[in-house]
């Protein structure tokens, strides 16, 4: 009889990883989900251990907790004497998110953005030109310069003059200022769907990518609910959803205000959301409508998208939901801004759908 026989799937432990490493991967996920509550994360991990036998007789949960303290992932050196995460934990969570979401990216050079212009830079190109006053010694193409000296002065007594020197053009590189916007409205956990965890992973991956690959860039992070405010990168793993509506307008206004103060010519916004805006501030009061794409809110949001386009500030939206209704706003917003959009299901952060409205392209990866 032809067909399929299904059995219970038991994942194998990663090859070459110690018992501590295997538990650490789960612990870091739990710490992020619990918003940095170490005690709750360890309680969940203990229950998982009872259910799935994560530890054995040689290495138990007590050993793991001691290793967490010894290796600097948690500390209890505070007035209350309770476990707290350290900066090392946050950094490790961001690195894990980067590997999970952008693991397919290839390593590249020194981490700056190339342009089509040549000039003063720190990466050698392929073009050659005569030496000019002010060129650095590192730019001199020695082989070509020696060849010029021999052609111009013969093979007798060696002679090289300034006119014999050739230099290699360097590629001009530019800096970029980025604002990362994260939706922390109540809809990010509505109907039993956990959208804030994949949103945080996406945010952490983007932050880690920018700070490591492009260290000369600037990165500012803001969250938006009923209002919008700025946070530190180190707080990303521990974000929590609040009883908020989605004031995308406040987030965009704050992002644009931050970028106005940046001196870089290249500016961009990354927005992570689950869809439609539902709130705006009118005077000192909030205008709210969670039941649809309210024209009053939508028009103001799209006006800001147009302003960003005129200021040459592209907005790349990461949509953490797959509902066609929720995608409607993202698609219209991205077309208005002439920007880009990534769509991801809640379970498939490694598989993103990319839409480039500027070039009218769609790509899966």
């Amino acid at each position: 009889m032809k067909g399929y026989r299904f059995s219970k799937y038991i994942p194998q432990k990663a090859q070459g990883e110690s018992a501590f490493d295997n538990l650490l991967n789960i612990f870091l996920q739990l710490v992020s989900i619990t918003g940095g509550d170490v005690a709750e994360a360890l309680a969940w991990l203990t229950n998982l251990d009872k259910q799935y036998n994560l530890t054995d007789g040689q290495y138990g949960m007590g050993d793991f907790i001691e290793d967490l303290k010894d290796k600097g992932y948690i500390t209890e050196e505070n007035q209350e004497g309770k476990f707290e995460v350290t900066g090392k934990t946050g950094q490790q969570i961001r690195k894990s998110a980067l590997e999970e979401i952008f693991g397919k990216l290839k390593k590249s050079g020194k981490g700056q953005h190339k342009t089509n212009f040549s000039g003063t830079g720190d990466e050698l190109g392929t073009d050659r030109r005569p030496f000019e006053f002010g060129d650095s010694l590192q730019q001199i193409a020695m082989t070509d310069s020696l060849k010029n000296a021999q052609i111009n002065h013969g093979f007798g007594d060696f002679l090289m003059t300034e006119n014999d020197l050739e230099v290699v053009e360097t590629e001009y590189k530019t800096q970029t200022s980025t604002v990362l916007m994260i939706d922390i409205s109540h809809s990010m956990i509505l109907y039993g769907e956990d959208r804030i965890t994949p949103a945080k992973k996406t945010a952490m991956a983007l932050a880690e990518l920018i700070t490591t690959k492009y260290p000369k860039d600037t990165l500012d992070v803001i969250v938006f609910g009923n209002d919008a405010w700025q946070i530190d990168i180190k707080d990303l793993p521990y974000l929590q959803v609040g009883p908020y509506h989605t004031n995308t307008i406040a987030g965009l206004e704050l992002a644009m205000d931050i970028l106005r103060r940046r001196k870089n010519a290249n500016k961009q916004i990354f927005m992570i959301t689950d869809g439609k805006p539902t709130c705006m501030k009118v005077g000192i009061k909030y205008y709210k409508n969670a039941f649809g794409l309210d024209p009053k809110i939508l028009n103001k949001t799209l006006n800001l998208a147009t302003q960003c386009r005129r200021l040459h500030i592209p907005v790349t939206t990461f949509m953490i939901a797959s509902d066609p209704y929720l995608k409607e706003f993202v698609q219209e917003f991205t077309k208005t801004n002439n920007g880009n959009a990534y769509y991801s299901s809640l379970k498939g952060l490694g598989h993103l759908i990319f839409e480039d409205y500027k070039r009218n392209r769609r790509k899966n990866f």
Side-chain angles (χ1 to χ4, degrees), residues 135-316:
D135 290 331
S136 65
L137 295 177
Q138 288 84 354
Q139 287 180 253
I140 295 177
M142 292 305 300
T143 301
D144 296 311
S145 299
L146 289 171
K147 182 176 68 175
N148 291 338
Q150 291 174 344
I151 293 173
N152 295 334
H153 308 293
F155 291 91
D157 295 333
F158 179 76
L159 177 64
M160 176 180 285
T161 67
E162 181 179 333
N163 294 330
D164 301 322
L165 296 177
E166 282 191 21
V167 297
V168 182
E169 281 279 30
T170 55
E171 293 179 350
Y172 180 80
K173 292 188 175 181
T174 184
Q175 294 175 309
T176 299
S177 291
T178 302
V179 172
L180 177 57
M181 293 173 50
I182 308 164
D183 184 351
I184 57 168
S185 62
H186 183 63
S187 63
M188 298 291 276
I189 56 169
L190 205 58
Y191 310 122
E193 287 189 344
D194 177 15
R195 295 171 180 166
I196 188 61
T197 297
K200 286 194 294 185
K201 285 185 178 181
T202 304
M204 289 185 290
L206 289 169
E208 192 69 10
L209 179 68
I210 291 170
T211 54
T212 56
K213 189 177 180 183
Y214 306 109
K216 295 184 180 180
D217 285 6
T218 65
L219 174 64
D220 297 280
V221 183
I222 64 176
V223 294
F224 61 102
N226 289 349
D227 297 288
W229 60 95
Q230 200 165 352
I231 66 169
D232 293 328
I233 293 176
K234 64 181 178 63
D235 297 325
L236 279 175
Y238 318 118
L239 286 179
Q240 294 281 8
V241 169
Y244 309 125
H245 285 70
T246 307
N247 192 343
T248 310
I249 295 168
L252 289 170
E253 289 177 337
L254 178 56
M256 294 171 68
D257 185 54
I258 291 172
L259 290 175
R260 284 191 192 99
R261 301 195 297 267
R262 294 299 183 188
K263 304 299 182 182
N264 296 336
N266 299 288
K267 302 172 182 181
Q268 64 182 353
I269 296 172
F270 287 159
M271 180 170 67
I272 303 173
T273 183
D274 66 344
K276 60 181 182 179
T278 60
C279 173
M280 63 182 290
K281 205 165 186 179
V282 180
I284 61 173
K285 295 184 178 180
Y286 294 99
Y287 176 84
K288 304 174 183 177
N289 183 356
F291 299 101
L293 288 172
D294 189 293
K296 188 173 181 178
I297 300 173
L298 180 62
N299 291 338
K300 176 66 173 178
T301 309
L302 294 179
N303 286 340
L304 289 174
T306 302
Q307 288 184 38
C308 287
R309 187 187 68 205
R310 290 173 179 169
L311 294 171
H312 304 289
I313 301 175
V315 181
T316 299

Side-chain angles (χ1 to χ4, degrees), residues 70-87:
D70 293 341
K71 296 178 184 294
Y73 287 98
I74 62 174
T75 180
E76 51 186 346
E77 295 179 1
N78 52 72
Q79 292 182 348
E80 299 177 1
K82 65 178 183 180
F83 288 132
E84 292 181 342
V85 293
T86 64

Side-chain angles (χ1 to χ4, degrees), residues 316-320 340-344 352-355 365:
T316 299
T317 305
F318 287 80
M319 174 68 174
I320 310 294
N340 304 319
Y342 289 85
Y343 299 92
S344 172
L352 296 170
I353 300 173
F354 171 64
E355 286 192 354
F365 68 95

Side-chain angles (χ1 to χ4, degrees), residues 81-124:
K82 65 178 183 180
F83 288 132
E84 292 181 342
V85 293
T86 64
K88 181 177 181 179
T89 301
Q91 184 180 33
Q92 188 63 43
I93 294 174
R94 293 195 302 271
K95 286 183 178 180
S96 298
L98 176 63
E99 292 172 1
E100 178 179 348
I101 297 175
F102 296 116
K104 296 179 182 178
L105 289 180
K106 296 180 180 179
K107 293 182 179 179
S108 63
K110 297 184 179 181
Q112 293 175 296
H113 307 278
K114 295 181 180 179
T115 71
N116 294 325
F117 304 99
S118 61
T120 303
D122 56 6
E123 184 170 310
L124 297 177

